[in-house]
């Protein structure tokens, strides 16, 4: 057997092709190999756990939208049009589940891979760069977010809760939201040292879920509080998806989208820097 | 051993795989590696020997381009790891001290995903995986989850994984720590085969017998510095005597008896449990001791080993 490869498609030849390209030390152009690793891992994992991410927002919708919604009746939008309560909270639940899925993937899963599985250590002893790892992992979180979003839409559309064709845009919007949270979340996770600190993540997530205009309009708040909430990513996410599913497409939507584009870029830079510091310093 | 040396000196320009000059790594105030110089030639098995905390693993990480040096120069196959990290890592196979196999994956999937990280095609990897499983004697474990393997099997799989990219240099950080004697011998045999086909091996170990078995040349490190360099035979010749006489007088008596032993042998090493007498002729030294009216509880004459070199250079026994 020959153990020393001199062929054209050797690992060395592949790595040398990137020489001189921008960011060659950080990025090998193969995030899909990291994604693929997760496909292999999923094949032999517990499918029920995967399914739970889809079921959660549906349960919330049934309990609050229909259970509580019966007591509330309908609400009216800014121009006075009536909206069924379930149709009001469905987009918020989709946004929240996109956030939760991305955060779960980028905190618990990433924490485990970082400290116990030593998966990243192995990946970064190959010719991969930290940006490949970050993008592959985040890409995985997005694929999951996409499937959950499609599933959720498949349930709520027949219920008549999507009130505009713009509602189709809720699916890519959910992916965009997941991207934003996953890219920042992975960087934050790199600072965490033990499982207890993970509770701090939940400590911020739960109030954000409850108070970001998920179940009621921000108009109930005083102005100063409203400004703070509007700056939080979940409010931006909810407003974006709600705009699409209710068909209120205006300039504000562009602002919400830009918010997440910036969050993604900063998050990726932050995470790549952290992975480099942790494994290649 | 002399054969290897002759080969190296005969060759006017041996290909240098790794060159380190004044290589330094500091963590804050702590100096882990303190300005070391060494070269590793093509096809050589090069050993880094030293107690825990000597700086072996840090040196390995710098070579593997997963840790940036704080000072000095380092080139691997003529490339600077600070600039060409991913490229250098494509030349290397890495077997870390602690297995970092992917526990969620099966044996063959570990090799497949690792190969894909290097950008290798899956069709090519399929035949490569067969070859590597045969090499690692894991053919019948192909579809087993990694966590179900024994320690020796895991280590062999980690080595197989390190060979996926057909590296020119295989880096092994304490490859046999924690393995039983049989598993160690299987592993040594596999490493010999690699050496035979021309793979350069860089090995850290704190097992003296392993260093003597595997390494053509080695450096002894302590507190971040290189204390000595040479082939195992050269080191023994330079830093130890031909034979060693080990005598025990009981833990409490060794120190006082050592005074009476002065003058016998070339040098004495007093350990908590025994006294080592370095001499050209162990039996003769023992006769002298008995003739002087001393009666050790046990005595043993043996050939000098790397362990004796180690004791002399680092001034301590290996306690890990």
């Amino acid at each position: 057997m020959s153990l020393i490869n001199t062929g054209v498609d050797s690992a060395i030849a592949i790595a040398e092709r990137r020489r001189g390209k921008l960011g060659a030390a950080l990025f090998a152009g193969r995030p899909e190999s990291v994604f693929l690793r997760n496909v292999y891992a999923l094949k032999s994992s517990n499918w029920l756990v995967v399914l739970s991410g889809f079921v959660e927002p549906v349960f919330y919708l049934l309990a609050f939208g229909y259970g509580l919604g019966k007591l509330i009746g309908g609400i009216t939008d800014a121009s006075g049009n009536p909206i069924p309560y379930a149709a009001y909270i469905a987009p918020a639940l989709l946004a929240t589940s996109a956030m939760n899925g991305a955060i779960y993937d980028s905190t618990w899963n990433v924490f485990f891979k970082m400290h116990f599985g030593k998966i990243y250590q192995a990946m970064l002893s190959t010719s991969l760069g930290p940006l490949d790892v970050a993008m592959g992992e985040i890409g995985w979180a997005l694929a999951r977010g996409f499937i959950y979003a499609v599933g959720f839409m498949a349930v709520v559309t027949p219920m008549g809760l999507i009130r505009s064709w713009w509602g189709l845009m809720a699916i890519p919007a959910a992916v965009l939201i997941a991207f934003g949270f996953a890219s920042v979340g992975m960087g934050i996770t790199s600072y965490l040292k033990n499982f207890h600190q993970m509770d701090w993540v939940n400590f911020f997530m739960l109030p954000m879920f409850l108070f970001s205009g998920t179940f009621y309009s921000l108009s109930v708040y005083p102005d100063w509080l409203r400004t703070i909430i509007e700056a939080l990513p979940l409010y931006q996410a909810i407003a974006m998806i709600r705009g699409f599913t209710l068909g209120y497409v205006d300039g504000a939507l562009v602002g919400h989208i830009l918010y997440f584009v910036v969050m993604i870029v900063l998050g990726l830079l932050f995470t790549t820097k952290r992975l480099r510091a942790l494994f290649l310093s | 051993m002399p054969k290897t040396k002759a080969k190296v000196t005969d060759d006017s320009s041996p290909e240098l795989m790794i060159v380190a000059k004044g290589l330094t790594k500091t963590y804050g105030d702590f100096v882990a590696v303190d300005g070391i110089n060494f070269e590793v030639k093509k096809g050589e098995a090069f050993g880094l020997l030293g107690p825990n905390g000597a700086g072996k693993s840090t040196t390995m990480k710098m070579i593997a381009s997963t840790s940036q040096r704080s000072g000095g120069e380092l080139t691997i196959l003529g490339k600077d790891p600070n600039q060409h990290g991913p490229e250098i890592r494509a030349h290397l196979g890495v077997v870390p001290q602690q297995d970092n196999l992917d526990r969620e994956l099966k044996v063959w999937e570990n090799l497949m995903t690792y190969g894909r990280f290097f950008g290798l095609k899956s069709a090519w990897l399929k035949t490569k995986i067969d070859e590597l499983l045969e090499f690692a004697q894991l053919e019948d474990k192909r579809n087993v989850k990694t966590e179900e393997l024994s320690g020796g099997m895991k280590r062999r799989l980690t080595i197989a994984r390190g060979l996926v990219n057909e590296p020119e240099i295989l880096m092994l950080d304490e490859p046999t720590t924690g393995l039983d004697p049989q598993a160690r011998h299987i592993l040594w045999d596999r490493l010999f085969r690699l050496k035979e086909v021309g793979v350069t091996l860089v090995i850290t170990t704190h097992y003296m017998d392993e260093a003597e078995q595997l390494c053509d040349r080695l450096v002894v490190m302590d507190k971040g510095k290189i204390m000595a360099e040479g082939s195992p035979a050269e080191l023994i010749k330079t830093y130890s005597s031909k034979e060693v006489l080990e005598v025990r007088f009981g833990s409490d008596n060794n120190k006082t008896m050592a005074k009476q032993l002065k003058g016998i042998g070339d040098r004495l090493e007093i350990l908590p449990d025994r006294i080592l007498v370095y001499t050209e002729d162990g039996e003769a030294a023992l006769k002298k001791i008995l003739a002087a009216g001393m009666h050790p509880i046990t005595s043993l004459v043996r050939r000098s080993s790397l362990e004796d070199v180690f004791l002399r250079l680092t001034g301590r026994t290996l306690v890990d």
Side-chain angles (χ1 to χ4, degrees), chain B residues 40-220:
Chain B
V40 180
K41 295 167 193 84
K42 193 181 168 84
E44 183 175 47
F46 180 80
L48 290 160
L49 205 65
N52 284 344
K56 295 172 301 196
S57 294
T58 309
T59 305
M60 292 290 267
K61 279 185 199 152
M62 285 191 279
I63 298 171
S65 312
T66 53
S67 175
Q68 296 209 334
R69 62 182 184 270
S70 315
E73 281 174 47
L74 179 65
T75 49
I76 295 116
L77 290 136
K79 293 172 184 174
D80 179 346
N82 281 3
Q83 261 127 56
H84 304 293
E87 259 181 62
I88 291 172
R89 295 199 294 273
H91 287 281
L92 304 178
V94 177
V95 181
Q97 198 172 330
Q98 283 177 312
D99 289 314
N100 60 359
L101 293 164
D102 200 324
R103 277 171 282 189
E104 292 176 71
L105 303 185
K106 292 172 184 162
V107 166
W108 77 269
E109 290 171 338
N110 259 280
L111 300 175
M112 176 59 91
T113 53
Y114 205 75
R116 295 293 299 243
F117 295 153
F118 283 102
L120 299 165
K121 301 243 166 12
S122 52
W124 182 86
L125 281 167
K126 270 186 188 133
T127 47
K128 188 73 201 171
I129 288 168
D130 292 341
E131 200 178 283
L132 288 171
L133 288 177
E134 193 198 327
F135 175 77
Q137 294 163 299
L138 289 168
E139 294 117 307
D140 53 339
K141 300 286 174 190
R142 172 183 280 272
N143 289 313
V144 169
K145 276 251 184 122
T146 317
E147 56 192 346
E148 290 163 32
L149 298 178
S150 72
M153 288 175 184
K154 275 186 192 154
R155 201 55 64 89
R156 295 208 300 277
L157 180 59
T158 312
I159 292 176
R161 192 185 67 175
L163 294 170
V164 155
N165 56 321
E166 306 193 327
E168 291 146 285
I169 306 172
L170 186 64
M171 315 272 303
L172 300 130
D173 199 354
E174 297 186 11
T176 63
T177 298
L179 300 187
D180 64 37
Q182 208 200 353
R184 290 179 81 196
H185 280 280
I186 297 174
L187 209 81
W188 285 348
D189 165 61
R190 300 291 109 178
L191 295 178
F192 269 122
R193 280 167 202 243
L194 290 175
K195 209 170 152 275
E196 277 169 9
V197 295
V199 178
T200 306
L201 302 176
V202 180
I203 303 161
T204 76
T205 183
H206 45 207
Y207 293 125
M208 300 301 130
D209 52 342
E210 182 161 281
E212 287 192 72
Q213 285 265 348
L214 290 176
C215 299
D216 299 323
R217 211 160 51 82
L218 48 91
V219 292
V220 179

Side-chain angles (χ1 to χ4, degrees), chain A residues 85-106:
Chain A
Y85 187 62
Y88 181 76
I89 68 164
L93 292 171
L94 178 57
T96 306
S97 90
M99 170 183 83
N100 281 337
I103 291 288
Y104 180 85
D105 257 336
S106 63

